[in-house]
Amino acid sequence: MARAEIPGRLSGRRLGWQAARLTEVREETPTARTLVFQMPDWPGHLPGQHVDVRLTAEDGYSTQRSYSLAAPADGDRIELTVQDVPGGEVSPYLTEVLEVGDEVEIRGPVGGWFVWRPTGTAPVLLVAGGSGLVPLMAMIRARRTAGSRTPFRLLYSVREPAQRLYAEELRRPMPGLDVTYLYTRTAPDGWSRPPGRLGVADLNTYGWPAQFEPDCFVCGPTGFVETAADILVALGHDPRRIKTERFGPTGG
C-alpha cells in the first residue's frame, strides 16, 4: 500500500537509508505483488508501521514513496505489498520490473501511533478499503504469531473478488477472526449484500458494538476513511479509540 508522505519522526531507533535485497515475490492479484526484502540491520517493527522506499536512476535522479509493512517483525526480513498504480512513478517498477536479487533503498520503520501491540486485550475492529488492508493484515498476522486470543473483526471493502488481497490466507479458518467482504462494484453470484459503498448498516451489523470499547483501525483512501470514522463516531464509538491512516495514489 502506498501512503501519502506525511512529515513525522521515525519510531524507535532512527535509521538512514539501507540497501534492501529482494529475495521473494508473491503475486497477490493481477495488479499487486508482495515483495520480501532482506535487510541485515533491520531493528524490528510493530504491525501498522511503514517504510520509505527510494529508487535512484543512473543519472542521479531519485524518488521515494512510503509503503506499509505487510507482516510482523521476522528477523531481517520485511514484506511490502505493492498495488500497481497506472501512470505511477514507483509502483510500476516495483510490480513489473524489480526481480529477485535486485536492490532498492529502504528507510524505517516509520510511525508509532497507527499500531497494534499483541499485548492489547480490547476487541479489535479493522476496516479496510482496497490496499488499505496491508497494515491491517500485519496486525492479523501478528495476532496469529503471538498466539493472541484478542477477538478481531475485519470489514474489507473491495471493488470485485479478483482484487482481494491475501484471499487464500483469509479463507483459512483463524479462531477469533471474523472476516466480512463488502464489494463496491461486482459481487459473487448469490452474494447476500448487493454491491455498494460502506454504510452504517455494514458497520452496525459486522463491527463491534460501541459498548464493547473496541480499538478501531481504519485504512484506505481518504473518502473511505472519513466515511468509516464518521459512522463509527455516530454509532457511539469513542473517537480516541478510532485510529486512521489514509493513502494516495502517489507519495507526493
Side-chain angles (χ1 to χ4, degrees):
M1 183 197 79
R3 297 164 176 256
E5 292 187 49
I6 301 173
R9 62 183 181 84
L10 297 180
S11 177
R13 181 162 65 93
R14 181 179 288 273
L15 292 175
W17 293 102
Q18 298 184 68
R21 183 171 61 87
L22 184 65
T23 60
E24 181 185 345
V25 176
R26 297 196 300 270
E27 300 295 332
E28 299 291 351
T29 73
T31 58
R33 66 198 310 212
T34 290
L35 310 174
V36 181
F37 291 96
Q38 184 176 27
M39 299 188 64
D41 295 323
W42 188 247
H45 60 273
L46 294 171
Q49 290 186 303
H50 61 283
V51 297
D52 299 325
V53 178
R54 182 168 69 182
L55 305 178
T56 303
E58 291 183 0
D59 63 2
Y61 171 77
S62 68
T63 185
Q64 67 186 67
R65 298 290 183 267
S66 297
Y67 290 97
S68 295
L69 291 151
D74 181 16
D76 62 359
R77 288 165 45 98
I78 67 168
E79 296 187 16
L80 310 179
T81 298
V82 180
Q83 176 74 49
D84 186 18
V85 178
E89 190 174 23
V90 175
S91 65
Y93 178 83
L94 296 177
T95 59
E96 301 170 17
V97 179
L98 197 68
E99 297 180 347
V100 170
D102 291 345
E103 291 187 346
V104 299
E105 291 180 287
I106 289 180
R107 178 178 62 185
V110 183
W113 182 72
F114 189 81
V115 299
W116 179 76
R117 293 173 171 81
T119 54
T121 57
V124 173
L125 175 62
L126 308 174
V127 185
S131 58
L133 176 61
V134 177
L136 308 185
M137 194 66 189
M139 298 178 189
I140 291 171
R141 290 166 166 169
R143 174 188 179 274
R144 181 181 60 207
T145 298
S148 170
R149 295 187 178 182
T150 299
F152 272 41
R153 289 185 177 178
L154 168 65
L155 275 69
Y156 182 19
S157 176
V158 66
R159 290 181 179 180
E160 58 187 9
Q163 294 189 349
R164 293 181 302 179
L165 295 173
Y166 320 118
E168 283 299 321
E169 186 172 351
L170 288 175
R171 190 175 292 120
R172 301 175 201 143
M174 295 187 219
L177 170 66
D178 294 326
V179 179
T180 299
Y181 289 101
L182 311 173
Y183 298 101
T184 62
R185 293 192 180 179
T186 305
D189 292 340
W191 200 254
S192 59
R193 178 189 182 274
R197 295 185 181 275
L198 177 77
V200 174
D202 300 313
L203 286 166
N204 191 43
T205 302
Y206 303 110
W208 294 108
Q211 59 266 33
F212 285 22
E213 298 184 338
D215 290 327
C216 304
F217 296 89
V218 184
C219 188
T222 296
F224 174 88
V225 170
E226 291 178 349
T227 295
D230 287 346
I231 292 174
L232 288 171
V233 171
L235 290 174
H237 289 267
D238 185 346
R240 294 170 297 181
R241 289 184 170 271
I242 303 172
K243 297 184 178 183
T244 62
E245 280 282 338
R246 310 154 195 240
F247 65 84
T250 72

